[in-house]
Amino acid sequence: MSGKQIYGRYQTVTASLLLKTIGDSLDDIRREDGATDQDLGVVLGRSKDSAERYRKGEGEMGVLAFLLGCKAWDGRFANPVFNLLGFKLVEMQSGAGSDRAGFTALATLLAELAEALEDDNIVDDRELAAMASAVESAGKHIDRLRERLSLRLVSNRG
């Protein structure tokens, strides 16, 4: 299995890394949610043993199980593996939030970026990690605006 590769935008990704990354996501979800392999299996529509193999990166997950995991755990589950390929899972109906809250989130991120750039014109990994919450909050509002824009583009076609 590890000999197979996917050539993404950013790097060559091995099948074993993809399976490990999905397994790590399942392990994080299990720990964060206080779940068992049985619980994971129920969500994925698979047995406890299959869920354990997926969590350990020892088994390839079918598309139905993967999609059920995406539906249940959204980006917590899928985004780490999608990030390896240059993609991101975003909930389509992210309409929660207001334009004012979005502006505040973007302004907060801009302020944190400006502060990080102040001393050396670089946002290093430590500074980026410290602003993770602001990045995520601003990203959700940007996704909300993208969704609104795409809906308007669709409605203007007819």
Side-chain angles (χ1 to χ4, degrees):
M1 179 76 65
S2 63
K4 294 181 182 179
Q5 299 177 344
I6 294 178
Y7 300 94
R9 269 182 249 187
Y10 305 106
Q11 63 182 348
T12 300
V13 182
T14 62
S16 59
L17 178 58
L18 294 170
L19 294 177
K20 179 188 180 315
T21 303
I22 288 172
D24 290 347
S25 291
L26 286 172
D27 204 38
D28 290 345
I29 289 165
R30 185 179 74 135
R31 188 178 55 259
E32 291 165 6
D33 294 359
T36 64
D37 286 328
Q38 178 69 38
D39 298 328
L40 298 177
V42 167
V43 171
L44 298 172
R46 299 293 187 261
S47 69
K48 172 188 171 192
D49 293 339
S50 291
E52 181 182 16
R53 281 195 306 280
Y54 301 152
R55 187 178 52 76
K56 291 180 176 179
E58 297 172 352
E60 187 169 334
M61 182 182 293
V63 69
L64 181 58
F66 182 77
L67 293 173
L68 289 169
C70 290
K71 185 173 189 233
W73 301 303
D74 58 62
R76 280 197 311 156
F77 172 63
N79 281 341
V81 75
F82 281 162
N83 286 340
L84 295 173
L85 304 171
F87 300 112
K88 177 174 111 173
L89 178 69
V90 178
E91 187 178 346
M92 286 294 291
Q93 300 189 349
S94 57
S98 67
D99 292 335
R100 184 178 193 159
F103 179 81
T104 301
L106 290 169
T108 299
L109 177 59
L110 287 174
E112 291 185 20
L113 283 168
E115 185 178 337
L117 293 169
E118 190 67 32
D119 60 343
D120 60 2
N121 292 324
I122 297 170
V123 177
D124 64 35
D125 290 345
R126 182 188 51 77
E127 292 165 326
L128 183 59
M131 66 179 75
S133 175
V135 169
E136 288 303 313
S137 180
K140 286 179 182 180
H141 287 284
I142 289 170
D143 291 337
R144 184 181 58 80
L145 292 172
R146 283 186 182 129
E147 179 186 349
R148 283 177 51 197
L149 181 61
S150 69
L151 291 173
R152 283 184 172 74
L153 291 174
V154 169
S155 66
N156 289 334
R157 289 184 188 159

